[in-house]
Amino acid sequence: MGEDKEPMEEVEVLLATSNPGKVKEINAILAPYGIRVKLPEEKVEVEEKGTTFLENAYLKAKAYWERFRLPTVADDSGLVVEALGGYPGIYSSRFYSIDFGGIEEGYTPDEANIRKVLRLLEGKENRRAKFVACALFYDGGEGLFAFGECKGEITLKPEGEGGFGYDPVFRPDGYEVTMAQLSAEEKNRISHRGKAFRRLARLIRRVYREPSPSP
Ligand code: IMP
Protein backbone atom coordinates (compact mmCIF):
# COMPACT_ATOMS: atom_id res chain seq x y z
CA MET A 1 0.00 0.00 0.00
CA GLY A 2 1.13 3.56 -0.56
CA GLU A 3 3.79 2.83 -3.20
CA ASP A 4 1.47 3.65 -6.13
CA LYS A 5 1.87 7.23 -7.35
CA GLU A 6 -0.61 6.83 -10.25
CA PRO A 7 -4.29 7.06 -9.29
CA MET A 8 -5.64 3.52 -9.13
CA GLU A 9 -8.43 2.48 -11.42
CA GLU A 10 -11.21 1.08 -9.26
CA VAL A 11 -11.78 -2.63 -9.54
CA GLU A 12 -15.28 -3.92 -8.81
CA VAL A 13 -15.87 -7.52 -7.90
CA LEU A 14 -18.78 -9.56 -6.67
CA LEU A 15 -18.82 -10.73 -3.05
CA ALA A 16 -20.14 -14.28 -2.73
CA THR A 17 -22.54 -13.57 0.11
CA SER A 18 -26.12 -12.51 0.74
CA ASN A 19 -25.12 -10.58 3.84
CA PRO A 20 -25.09 -6.77 3.29
CA GLY A 21 -23.20 -6.30 6.59
CA LYS A 22 -20.30 -8.28 5.18
CA VAL A 23 -20.18 -6.06 2.07
CA LYS A 24 -19.85 -2.99 4.28
CA GLU A 25 -17.14 -4.51 6.45
CA ILE A 26 -15.09 -5.80 3.52
CA ASN A 27 -15.45 -2.55 1.57
CA ALA A 28 -14.02 -0.67 4.55
CA ILE A 29 -11.02 -3.03 4.48
CA LEU A 30 -10.54 -2.89 0.69
CA ALA A 31 -11.17 0.84 0.04
CA PRO A 32 -7.47 1.82 0.34
CA TYR A 33 -6.67 -0.66 -2.45
CA GLY A 34 -9.25 0.75 -4.87
CA ILE A 35 -11.26 -2.47 -4.80
CA ARG A 36 -15.00 -2.47 -4.23
CA VAL A 37 -17.13 -5.50 -3.58
CA LYS A 38 -20.81 -5.55 -4.46
CA LEU A 39 -23.73 -7.69 -3.41
CA PRO A 40 -24.99 -10.12 -6.09
CA GLU A 41 -28.45 -9.57 -7.55
CA GLU A 42 -29.64 -12.77 -5.99
CA LYS A 43 -28.47 -15.34 -3.49
CA VAL A 44 -26.87 -18.54 -4.73
CA GLU A 45 -27.29 -21.57 -2.49
CA VAL A 46 -23.89 -23.10 -1.84
CA GLU A 47 -23.39 -26.32 0.06
CA GLU A 48 -20.26 -25.74 2.15
CA LYS A 49 -19.17 -29.34 1.99
CA GLY A 50 -15.43 -28.66 1.99
CA THR A 51 -13.18 -29.82 4.80
CA THR A 52 -11.06 -26.67 5.02
CA PHE A 53 -11.61 -22.90 5.05
CA LEU A 54 -9.88 -22.72 1.66
CA GLU A 55 -12.11 -25.34 0.07
CA ASN A 56 -15.27 -23.69 1.37
CA ALA A 57 -14.18 -20.23 0.18
CA TYR A 58 -13.45 -21.74 -3.25
CA LEU A 59 -16.84 -23.51 -3.40
CA LYS A 60 -18.62 -20.20 -2.65
CA ALA A 61 -16.62 -18.10 -5.13
CA LYS A 62 -16.92 -20.70 -7.88
CA ALA A 63 -20.69 -21.06 -7.43
CA TYR A 64 -21.19 -17.27 -7.78
CA TRP A 65 -18.79 -17.10 -10.71
CA GLU A 66 -20.70 -19.85 -12.48
CA ARG A 67 -24.01 -18.08 -11.91
CA PHE A 68 -22.96 -14.49 -12.78
CA ARG A 69 -19.69 -14.86 -14.75
CA LEU A 70 -18.19 -11.91 -12.87
CA PRO A 71 -14.89 -11.79 -10.97
CA THR A 72 -15.84 -12.87 -7.46
CA VAL A 73 -14.35 -12.84 -3.99
CA ALA A 74 -15.45 -15.10 -1.16
CA ASP A 75 -14.31 -15.77 2.35
CA ASP A 76 -14.64 -18.50 4.89
CA SER A 77 -13.66 -18.12 8.49
CA GLY A 78 -14.05 -19.55 11.94
CA LEU A 79 -12.75 -20.01 15.44
CA VAL A 80 -10.06 -22.60 16.11
CA VAL A 81 -9.72 -23.59 19.78
CA GLU A 82 -6.55 -25.44 20.80
CA ALA A 83 -8.00 -27.51 23.65
CA LEU A 84 -10.91 -28.60 21.40
CA GLY A 85 -8.62 -30.06 18.76
CA GLY A 86 -9.31 -27.17 16.40
CA TYR A 87 -13.11 -27.16 16.78
CA PRO A 88 -15.41 -25.38 16.05
CA GLY A 89 -13.26 -24.61 12.93
CA ILE A 90 -15.21 -24.91 9.71
CA TYR A 91 -18.30 -25.72 11.80
CA SER A 92 -18.15 -22.37 13.66
CA SER A 93 -21.49 -20.97 12.48
CA ARG A 94 -23.44 -24.09 13.41
CA PHE A 95 -21.36 -25.53 16.24
CA TYR A 96 -24.44 -25.44 18.49
CA SER A 97 -26.20 -27.96 16.25
CA ILE A 98 -23.41 -30.51 16.26
CA ASP A 99 -24.08 -33.49 18.42
CA PHE A 100 -21.06 -33.66 20.67
CA GLY A 101 -21.22 -31.49 23.75
CA GLY A 102 -25.01 -31.30 23.66
CA ILE A 103 -27.57 -29.12 21.93
CA GLU A 104 -29.47 -26.41 23.85
CA GLU A 105 -32.80 -24.91 22.83
CA GLY A 106 -33.96 -21.32 23.28
CA TYR A 107 -30.85 -19.40 22.31
CA THR A 108 -29.81 -17.57 19.17
CA PRO A 109 -27.21 -19.50 17.15
CA ASP A 110 -24.44 -17.10 18.30
CA GLU A 111 -25.44 -17.47 21.96
CA ALA A 112 -25.72 -21.24 21.69
CA ASN A 113 -22.32 -21.47 19.96
CA ILE A 114 -20.69 -19.42 22.71
CA ARG A 115 -22.35 -21.44 25.47
CA LYS A 116 -21.09 -24.63 23.90
CA VAL A 117 -17.49 -23.45 23.63
CA LEU A 118 -17.54 -22.20 27.24
CA ARG A 119 -19.06 -25.46 28.45
CA LEU A 120 -16.52 -27.60 26.61
CA LEU A 121 -13.67 -25.51 28.03
CA GLU A 122 -14.89 -25.74 31.62
CA GLY A 123 -12.05 -26.90 33.87
CA LYS A 124 -9.49 -26.69 31.07
CA GLU A 125 -6.45 -24.53 31.64
CA ASN A 126 -5.57 -23.99 28.00
CA ARG A 127 -7.96 -21.40 26.57
CA ARG A 128 -5.79 -20.46 23.57
CA ALA A 129 -7.68 -19.90 20.32
CA LYS A 130 -7.45 -18.09 17.01
CA PHE A 131 -9.78 -16.76 14.41
CA VAL A 132 -8.79 -17.86 10.91
CA ALA A 133 -10.02 -16.43 7.61
CA CYS A 134 -9.40 -17.42 4.03
CA ALA A 135 -10.17 -14.76 1.40
CA LEU A 136 -10.30 -15.93 -2.19
CA PHE A 137 -10.65 -14.35 -5.64
CA TYR A 138 -11.94 -16.35 -8.62
CA ASP A 139 -12.56 -15.32 -12.21
CA GLY A 140 -12.56 -18.66 -13.98
CA GLY A 141 -8.76 -19.01 -13.86
CA GLU A 142 -6.50 -20.38 -11.18
CA GLY A 143 -7.78 -18.03 -8.50
CA LEU A 144 -5.90 -16.19 -5.77
CA PHE A 145 -6.19 -16.67 -2.04
CA ALA A 146 -4.76 -15.44 1.24
CA PHE A 147 -5.11 -16.37 4.90
CA GLY A 148 -5.27 -14.22 8.01
CA GLU A 149 -5.18 -15.15 11.68
CA CYS A 150 -5.92 -13.38 14.92
CA LYS A 151 -4.64 -15.12 18.04
CA GLY A 152 -6.00 -14.80 21.54
CA GLU A 153 -7.86 -16.48 24.37
CA ILE A 154 -11.38 -17.55 25.19
CA THR A 155 -12.62 -15.57 28.19
CA LEU A 156 -14.59 -17.08 31.09
CA LYS A 157 -17.77 -15.19 30.19
CA PRO A 158 -19.15 -13.08 27.33
CA GLU A 159 -18.43 -9.36 27.39
CA GLY A 160 -19.23 -6.53 24.97
CA GLU A 161 -21.99 -5.75 22.50
CA GLY A 162 -20.08 -5.15 19.25
CA GLY A 163 -19.14 -7.52 16.44
CA PHE A 164 -20.85 -10.87 16.02
CA GLY A 165 -20.33 -14.59 16.49
CA TYR A 166 -17.74 -15.48 19.11
CA ASP A 167 -16.48 -11.89 19.54
CA PRO A 168 -17.83 -11.51 23.12
CA VAL A 169 -15.68 -14.44 24.37
CA PHE A 170 -12.52 -13.78 22.35
CA ARG A 171 -9.80 -11.61 23.85
CA PRO A 172 -7.14 -10.86 21.22
CA ASP A 173 -3.51 -11.03 22.34
CA GLY A 174 -2.29 -7.64 23.54
CA TYR A 175 -5.77 -6.49 24.63
CA GLU A 176 -7.53 -6.48 27.99
CA VAL A 177 -10.98 -6.50 26.37
CA THR A 178 -12.90 -8.80 24.06
CA MET A 179 -13.26 -8.38 20.31
CA ALA A 180 -16.88 -7.33 20.99
CA GLN A 181 -15.57 -4.31 22.95
CA LEU A 182 -13.42 -2.97 20.09
CA SER A 183 -14.56 -0.41 17.51
CA ALA A 184 -15.23 -1.72 14.00
CA GLU A 185 -12.05 0.07 12.78
CA GLU A 186 -9.89 -1.48 15.48
CA LYS A 187 -11.34 -4.93 14.85
CA ASN A 188 -10.67 -4.63 11.09
CA ARG A 189 -7.10 -3.57 11.83
CA ILE A 190 -6.28 -6.72 13.81
CA SER A 191 -8.84 -9.26 12.64
CA HIS A 192 -8.24 -12.43 10.66
CA ARG A 193 -10.59 -11.12 7.94
CA GLY A 194 -8.83 -7.75 7.78
CA LYS A 195 -5.45 -9.44 7.34
CA ALA A 196 -6.70 -11.99 4.80
CA PHE A 197 -8.46 -9.37 2.66
CA ARG A 198 -5.55 -6.91 2.74
CA ARG A 199 -3.24 -9.70 1.56
CA LEU A 200 -5.72 -10.74 -1.12
CA ALA A 201 -6.12 -7.09 -2.22
CA ARG A 202 -2.38 -6.83 -2.84
CA LEU A 203 -2.53 -9.99 -4.97
CA ILE A 204 -5.56 -8.75 -6.94
CA ARG A 205 -3.81 -5.42 -7.53
CA ARG A 206 -0.84 -7.23 -9.02
CA VAL A 207 -3.08 -9.19 -11.38
CA TYR A 208 -5.17 -6.20 -12.47
CA ARG A 209 -2.39 -3.61 -12.61
CA GLU A 210 -1.95 -2.46 -16.21
CA PRO A 211 1.48 -1.08 -17.09
CA SER A 212 1.11 2.72 -17.29
CA PRO A 213 1.63 4.07 -20.84
CA SER A 214 4.93 5.91 -21.20
CA PRO A 215 4.53 9.69 -21.72
P1 IMP B 1 -18.13 -16.99 7.88
O1 IMP B 1 -17.41 -18.07 7.18
O2 IMP B 1 -17.44 -15.66 7.74
O3 IMP B 1 -19.57 -16.91 7.55
O4 IMP B 1 -18.01 -17.29 9.45
C1 IMP B 1 -18.39 -18.54 10.00
C2 IMP B 1 -18.60 -18.42 11.49
O5 IMP B 1 -17.33 -18.20 12.14
C3 IMP B 1 -19.46 -17.24 11.93
O6 IMP B 1 -20.82 -17.60 11.88
C4 IMP B 1 -18.97 -17.00 13.34
O7 IMP B 1 -19.58 -17.91 14.23
C5 IMP B 1 -17.49 -17.34 13.25
N1 IMP B 1 -16.71 -16.12 12.97
C6 IMP B 1 -16.06 -15.81 11.82
N2 IMP B 1 -15.48 -14.61 11.90
C7 IMP B 1 -15.79 -14.14 13.12
C8 IMP B 1 -15.49 -12.90 13.79
O8 IMP B 1 -14.84 -11.98 13.26
N3 IMP B 1 -15.97 -12.80 15.04
C9 IMP B 1 -16.68 -13.76 15.65
N4 IMP B 1 -17.02 -14.89 15.08
C10 IMP B 1 -16.57 -15.09 13.82
Side-chain angles (χ1 to χ4, degrees):
M1 205 172 85
E3 71 267 20
D4 283 343
K5 300 264 181 334
E6 302 273 325
M8 289 183 291
E9 200 181 311
E10 188 161 277
V11 174
E12 193 176 67
V13 295
L14 210 59
L15 184 66
T17 185
S18 53
N19 178 351
K22 220 169 196 182
V23 173
K24 206 169 155 231
E25 179 185 327
I26 292 171
N27 271 332
I29 299 168
L30 295 181
Y33 300 89
I35 301 170
R36 274 192 63 74
V37 293
K38 65 174 181 180
L39 209 57
E41 281 160 19
E42 60 195 63
K43 185 179 174 170
V44 175
E45 285 303 332
V46 186
E47 208 194 329
E48 292 183 35
K49 53 178 196 266
T51 56
T52 60
F53 294 119
L54 174 59
E55 253 184 287
N56 281 334
Y58 176 68
L59 288 173
K60 286 185 229 180
K62 190 155 177 279
Y64 277 80
W65 157 261
E66 277 169 359
R67 169 75 182 78
F68 299 104
R69 294 281 151 175
L70 292 171
T72 301
V73 295
D75 73 326
D76 197 54
S77 58
L79 178 72
V80 171
V81 180
E82 258 185 35
L84 303 183
Y87 275 92
I90 57 166
Y91 306 105
S92 290
S93 61
R94 55 191 169 92
F95 193 40
Y96 68 93
S97 68
I98 289 175
D99 230 359
F100 83 79
I103 297 170
E104 285 185 309
E105 306 280 341
Y107 295 96
T108 65
D110 279 353
E111 285 167 353
N113 283 335
I114 284 178
R115 289 176 65 85
K116 186 157 189 159
V117 167
L118 292 182
R119 205 170 52 247
L120 291 171
L121 284 181
E122 262 169 33
K124 291 199 172 27
E125 224 161 82
N126 179 5
R127 303 183 74 91
R128 296 292 302 160
K130 61 184 177 183
F131 279 123
V132 177
C134 176
L136 185 139
F137 169 88
Y138 187 73
D139 67 351
E142 283 183 5
L144 301 165
F145 66 87
F147 279 89
E149 286 189 355
C150 179
K151 292 186 179 165
E153 263 176 8
I154 303 298
T155 56
L156 292 170
K157 58 181 175 58
E159 240 156 319
E161 305 293 324
F164 70 101
Y166 299 90
D167 282 345
V169 288
F170 184 83
R171 186 186 58 72
D173 286 346
Y175 288 79
E176 296 296 328
V177 294
T178 69
M179 201 80 131
Q181 292 168 295
L182 299 181
S183 67
E185 294 74 36
E186 185 69 356
K187 179 178 169 184
N188 282 346
R189 206 174 61 73
I190 64 160
S191 81
H192 48 312
R193 211 171 355 270
K195 289 176 192 162
F197 272 100
R198 282 190 291 274
R199 287 177 183 146
L200 182 68
R202 288 194 283 271
L203 294 173
I204 294 174
R205 271 287 155 203
R206 257 186 249 158
V207 169
Y208 273 87
R209 182 179 289 149
E210 303 273 312
S212 5
S214 27

